[in-house]
Amino acid sequence: MASIKLGGNPIHTSGELPKVGTKIADFKLVKTDLSVASLIDFAGKKLVLNIFPSVDTGTCAASVRKFNESASTLENTTVLCVSRDLPFAQKRFCGAEGLENVVNLSDFPEGSFGKANGLEITDGPLAGLHSRVIIVVDENGIITHTEQVAEIADEPNYEAALAVL
C-alpha cells in the first residue's frame, strides 16, 4: 500500500506500482467506442500510460492536454489515458477539446487494471478511483519509468516521463 495525499490529507492505494525493469501485465480496458483494448493492440509501440482519477477535474484534464501535445512529436509512441470515467465522458472531453493524439481507455466497470497495478485509491473521498500515475513502457513491454504523484492535485513530472522515451 502506498500513501499519497489529497488536499494535504493522507489517503492510500491498494498496493505498490509495478517495478521498473519488469514486464507490464496484460490488461483489458474499454475504448470510447465500447470495444475492448488489451496490451497486444499496442505491440511493438512505446507506451505512456497517463493514469488519473477523472478527466472532469482540472489537473487530470491538463495532463491529457499536455500528453496530447507531446504525443504528436514522439516516434512509435502511444499515449494511453486511463481512468475509471465512463467511455462516454472520455469521448466527450477529447471531442470538445479536439484532442486526437491520445487513446482514452476506461477501467470501468470493475477497476481490474487499477487493482492489478496497485494504484486504486482505497480510502477518502476518491476511494475506488485511480491515483495519479505515469507508467512508461518500451516497445518490448518492459516498464522503464513509473511515478505516483504524491499529492493527487499536482501534475506529474512530464519531463521525466518523456526523457526515458
Side-chain angles (χ1 to χ4, degrees):
M1 169 181 351
S3 182
I4 57 175
K5 294 185 178 183
L6 172 63
N9 299 309
I11 57 174
H12 303 91
T13 64
S14 58
E16 300 295 326
L17 296 182
K19 301 285 184 215
V20 170
T22 63
K23 190 162 182 69
I24 191 160
D26 194 10
F27 54 77
K28 299 236 183 294
L29 296 164
V30 181
K31 297 193 288 186
T32 58
D33 66 1
L34 302 182
S35 64
V36 175
S38 66
L39 187 58
I40 194 73
D41 297 326
F42 306 101
K45 295 217 176 251
K46 298 174 192 172
L47 300 175
V48 176
L49 285 84
N50 176 31
I51 306 158
F52 49 85
S54 175
V55 75
D56 286 322
T57 66
T59 306
C60 300
S63 72
V64 175
R65 287 185 199 105
K66 177 67 174 176
F67 278 120
N68 180 73
E69 177 185 318
S70 301
S72 64
T73 65
L74 301 173
E75 188 175 320
N76 194 39
T77 303
T78 302
V79 176
L80 307 178
C81 294
V82 181
S83 70
R84 295 285 314 269
D85 289 302
L86 291 174
F88 313 111
Q90 294 173 333
K91 185 174 184 176
R92 173 192 41 77
F93 173 78
C94 283
E97 296 275 331
L99 306 178
E100 298 178 349
N101 298 320
V102 296
V103 176
N104 282 287
L105 298 172
S106 176
D107 197 11
F108 174 83
E110 310 86 38
S112 58
F113 175 83
K115 290 177 177 105
N117 288 289
L119 53 89
E120 179 182 52
I121 298 170
T122 58
D123 55 1
L126 299 181
L129 298 179
H130 295 337
S131 57
R132 188 173 317 287
V133 171
I134 303 297
I135 299 174
V136 180
V137 180
D138 72 11
E139 53 273 289
N140 298 310
I142 303 300
I143 297 169
T144 57
H145 172 81
T146 63
E147 176 191 10
Q148 182 156 48
V149 179
E151 168 59 59
I152 201 121
D154 292 343
E155 291 185 55
N157 184 340
Y158 302 109
E159 293 77 25
L162 297 173
V164 299
L165 294 168

